Amino acid sequence: MIESATFHVITTELVVGSFALAGLCFLLHSVFTLGKTPTKLAPTMDSTAHVALLFGLLALPFAIISGINSSPSGAHTSPLLANKMLLSTAGGGLALGVLFARWRMHQEGISRHLHNAFGTISTGCMLLTASLGGTYTRADSLTEFLPFVKESTLLVPSWMSFVVIALIISALVLRKSSTIKHG
């Protein structure tokens, strides 16, 4: 049987590698489509970025659950671990939004570059999460210039969470149709 710490290392490498590939492909896709005539590599970069993002997103729950199980005292005991959880779920949420938007979006132009930017930000969240993991296990990472990440956790109060949930539910209930005229 594989220990949870070993399984966490394996799944983390899958997530980080997939997200890094996706981020590089998002960046290259934007570079390739900046000119008047896009190269033949642009569609390949677009497809590769989204497939890598999907694979990383599918491996993310395994990395999160195995990380919680491999922590001796749980994720709620350290600001560093809490920030890892927040960053990984934020990166996962952004990745999910990017994949959903790609499924719905087919136009070119500035929205494509904005889409690529959000995919790259999602990658940045995952890479920062992985770097914080190096800080936790080895006390060495690329995040030495971010001391606030190790000492405090930016959480919203409970009342604000309920307000946001109420706003989302009311927006979903009150939405009757699209505000954009189609056809």
Side-chain angles (χ1 to χ4, degrees):
M1 195 68 152
I2 297 177
E3 292 183 15
S4 60
T6 305
F7 188 67
H8 179 64
V9 170
I10 293 168
T11 55
T12 300
E13 292 300 326
L14 287 173
V15 170
V16 169
S18 298
F19 271 85
L21 175 63
L24 178 66
C25 289
F26 279 125
L27 184 66
L28 289 174
H29 182 259
S30 282
V31 168
F32 289 153
T33 57
L34 279 178
K36 299 285 183 202
T37 56
T39 65
K40 291 182 179 181
L41 288 176
T44 304
M45 290 297 136
D46 185 51
S47 299
T48 304
H50 288 91
V51 169
L53 198 65
L54 178 64
F55 183 75
L57 195 59
L58 292 175
L60 183 62
F62 297 107
I64 291 173
I65 292 169
S66 63
I68 291 171
N69 289 337
S70 64
S71 175
S73 57
H76 63 283
T77 59
S78 165
L80 184 69
L81 293 178
N83 285 331
K84 278 186 64 163
M85 284 290 296
L86 288 173
L87 278 171
S88 64
T89 53
L94 279 170
L96 192 60
V98 165
L99 289 173
F100 181 72
R102 177 62 177 105
W103 175 58
R104 306 269 320 245
M105 181 178 67
H106 298 290
Q107 69 268 18
E108 295 295 326
I110 193 70
S111 62
R112 175 68 67 187
H113 295 294
L114 187 62
H115 178 80
N116 289 339
F118 279 116
T120 306
I121 291 169
S122 172
T123 297
C125 285
M126 287 303 165
L127 295 180
L128 186 57
T129 302
S131 187
L132 287 176
T135 301
Y136 183 71
T137 57
R138 297 181 310 274
D140 178 36
S141 78
L142 298 173
T143 58
E144 296 301 320
F145 63 95
L146 300 172
F148 62 89
V149 174
K150 301 173 197 167
E151 300 162 0
S152 61
T153 302
L154 302 173
L155 296 175
V156 295
S158 299
W159 65 268
M160 191 180 293
S161 298
F162 290 122
V163 168
V164 169
I165 290 170
L167 283 172
I168 291 170
I169 291 173
S170 63
L172 290 172
V173 168
L174 295 176
R175 188 184 78 145
K176 294 180 182 176
S177 64
S178 176
T179 58
I180 299 171
K181 197 168 212 174
H182 299 283

